[in-house]
Amino acid sequence: MTSTATLFLIAGLGLITWVFARARAGRFIQSGAASVHSLPSYHGWYAAMWAVVPAILFLLVWSSVAPALGSFAVLDSPLAAQLPTDPFSRAAILSEARALSRNADLKVFNDAAVQLAPLYAAADRQYALIGALAAFLLCFAGGAFAFTRIRPDFRARTKVERTVMLALLLASLIAILATLGIVASLIVETVRFFNLVSPFEFLFGLDWNPSDKVVDGKATGFGAVPLFWGTVFIGAIIAMAVAIPLGLMSAVYLTQYASPTVRKWMKPILEILAGVPTVVYGYFAALTVAPALRSFAVMIGITDASSESALAAGLVMGVMIIPFVSSMADDSIAAVPGSMRDGSLAMGATKSETIKQVLIPAALPGVVGGVLLAVSRAIGETMIVVMAAGLAANLTANPFASVTTVTTQIVQLLTGDTDFNSPMTLAAFALGLTLFIVTLLLNIVALQIVKRYREAYD
């Protein structure tokens, strides 16, 4: 029996348990029993949880244990005695045999795997059946236990709500633990990297030419300043020079000048930009914007303009993050109390003067918070920079030159068959930790600014 069929059967048994438990609890109300604590639906959910949750948890554990039990069963067979003693060869044959047992059309390189595949298939069927029977027994036992506890004064609602709260807590803890795990892994690998490379050279060095060569326990060529500059140049200067004015002006138009019909259509169309895949922006930057900019540079006398330029990547990235700036500015302007706008107009100010001297200054903290969030999004962008800005680590302010960013170098360092103990690979973790810290600080500052703005008008 497949695991999918088992899950459907357990879900069906849970539904049946819910119906019967709800019906039994409903009879308490119909009979006029005093002090009925919970509605029948809560009794139904309580019984269904006892029927389904233990069985599913068991199946999750069993799915990780059953393959090992199947391997032990195959290794105990007489055919396994013919396997080579070399552990790597033995593991390769067993892996091929298990893959062949699940896909008969798979081509294998060892004849022994063909002989062991039926044993694996039989063992998988056997342990799948055992797991399904055990899950059904747990389902029946859990449902029966919950069914016996149904009575008028039983606090089923409290039990169900506490279980839901526990599930929500676990869901939030998973996100927190995942973040902590990512940070811990970055810190551990970064410490290993700084054992090979001087932190001062990494943070303040001007030469980025990474290699695996280690001389006297130290590696050179890991000065990351060109990467930091390229990230700031593209993501925080060029992209923001496009996104801030266009995003702010679009927010002003949509909130102050556009009719409800125009706003109804224009705002979703503008926000579609945030849903376009970044690889599409990358193709657009590399195939359309970059050649046009190079032709323009040559036309105005810049003969050394590159076909991969910071300007091309920054312009397209700025278009991509317009919705971030526009949305935050829109919400901030709309949240300004109407009395401030009406008071300005009543004093004789024009609409444009009210916008420039009242609404924008009042909404400025929220706008700044949105800009900082957009910057943190921009400096973490990869595909546009890889495809349009190039891989050259140049420390230059020429927008028509090729530069690279932190995210681009992380991709380059971890691409291909790399040794995870080499300085080049460990450098990717150091760059990742640096980028994580910068974006975290930007997000904290932005959220604090937005929080203060909201408190001012609550």
Side-chain angles (χ1 to χ4, degrees):
M1 180 178 293
T2 62
S3 58
T4 304
T6 304
L7 288 175
F8 273 112
L9 288 176
I10 290 174
L13 291 174
L15 178 60
I16 294 173
T17 305
W18 182 86
V19 171
F20 277 94
R22 185 177 182 277
R24 182 178 180 181
R27 286 197 292 269
F28 297 148
I29 298 177
Q30 294 175 359
S31 63
S35 66
V36 176
H37 180 272
S38 304
L39 293 174
S41 59
Y42 284 106
H43 289 277
W45 285 116
Y46 176 77
M49 286 191 303
W50 267 104
V52 173
V53 174
I56 291 180
L57 291 177
F58 170 78
L59 285 177
L60 291 175
V61 175
W62 186 255
S63 64
S64 61
V65 174
L69 296 177
S71 297
F72 289 143
V74 171
L75 291 173
D76 289 339
S77 65
L79 290 176
Q82 304 175 6
L83 292 175
T85 56
D86 178 47
F88 294 103
S89 300
R90 176 187 290 257
I93 294 174
L94 292 176
S95 177
E96 285 189 351
R98 178 174 288 281
L100 186 61
S101 68
R102 296 172 179 174
N103 184 6
D105 298 329
L106 188 67
K107 294 182 180 180
V108 296
F109 300 97
N110 298 288
D111 294 335
V114 178
Q115 298 176 354
L116 294 175
L119 298 179
Y120 264 116
D124 288 343
R125 286 194 299 268
Q126 177 185 353
Y127 287 109
L129 181 60
I130 293 174
L133 292 176
F136 291 147
L137 288 176
L138 278 175
C139 185
F140 280 115
F145 169 75
F147 203 74
T148 59
R149 302 193 68 185
I150 298 176
R151 54 184 183 273
D153 61 341
F154 180 65
R155 298 177 177 272
R157 184 188 65 190
T158 305
K159 302 291 185 182
V160 172
E161 289 178 348
R162 287 180 178 176
T163 303
V164 173
M165 289 179 61
L166 179 61
L168 295 175
L169 176 62
L170 291 176
S172 62
L173 287 178
I174 289 174
I176 295 173
L177 292 176
T179 303
L180 293 177
I182 293 171
V183 174
S185 64
L186 289 175
I187 292 175
V188 170
E189 301 300 332
T190 301
V191 170
R192 293 179 58 197
F193 172 73
F194 285 139
N195 290 331
L196 300 174
V197 177
S198 169
F200 184 84
E201 178 190 354
F202 176 75
L203 295 174
F204 301 102
L206 303 180
D207 178 29
W208 179 260
N209 188 23
S211 66
D212 289 333
K213 294 181 180 179
V214 178
V215 180
D216 296 332
K218 292 294 182 180
T220 58
F222 288 91
V225 170
L227 309 186
F228 300 151
W229 167 247
T231 302
V232 172
F233 190 39
I234 295 176
I237 297 178
I238 299 177
M240 288 300 105
V242 176
I244 292 176
L246 293 181
L248 184 57
M249 287 189 290
S250 64
V252 169
Y253 173 75
L254 290 175
T255 56
Q256 302 301 317
Y257 292 102
S259 64
T261 303
V262 173
R263 177 180 170 84
K264 176 183 176 182
W265 287 98
M266 289 297 296
K267 189 172 176 61
I269 292 174
L270 182 64
E271 292 178 348
I272 286 176
L273 292 174
V276 177
T278 56
V279 67
V280 176
Y281 283 113
Y283 275 119
F284 175 67
L287 301 180
T288 304
V289 178
L293 288 176
R294 186 179 184 279
S295 300
F296 172 75
V298 172
M299 182 181 65
I300 61 176
I302 304 177
T303 57
D304 59 344
S306 174
S307 58
E308 296 175 332
S309 64
L311 186 59
L315 289 176
V316 176
M317 192 183 299
V319 172
M320 181 189 70
I321 60 177
I322 285 174
F324 293 89
V325 178
S326 175
S327 179
M328 287 295 296
D330 188 315
D331 295 339
S332 300
I333 295 173
V336 175
S339 58
M340 296 180 65
R341 178 177 179 274
D342 295 339
S344 175
L345 295 175
M347 294 294 292
T350 64
K351 194 170 188 177
S352 61
E353 290 173 340
T354 300
I355 293 171
K356 289 184 294 183
Q357 300 179 16
V358 177
L359 297 182
I360 298 299
L364 190 59
V367 174
V368 172
V371 169
L372 292 178
L373 291 175
V375 170
S376 65
R377 170 68 179 86
I379 65 176
E381 176 55 38
T382 303
M383 286 305 302
I384 295 175
V385 183
V386 169
M387 301 176 70
L391 303 175
N394 296 320
L395 187 60
T396 177
N398 181 7
F400 295 101
S402 176
V403 297
T404 190
T405 63
V406 170
T407 54
T408 303
Q409 288 300 311
I410 291 175
V411 172
Q412 187 180 16
L413 292 172
L414 294 179
T415 301
D417 188 10
T418 58
D419 181 10
F420 270 80
N421 293 318
S422 69
M424 290 182 62
T425 303
L426 296 176
F429 292 94
L431 292 172
L433 181 61
T434 305
L435 186 64
F436 175 83
I437 293 174
V438 171
T439 54
L440 178 63
L441 292 176
L442 283 173
N443 286 333
I444 291 174
V445 172
L447 292 176
Q448 288 298 320
I449 292 174
V450 174
K451 181 180 177 181
R452 290 182 182 180
Y453 165 76
R454 287 176 179 171
E455 288 176 352
Y457 293 108
D458 281 345

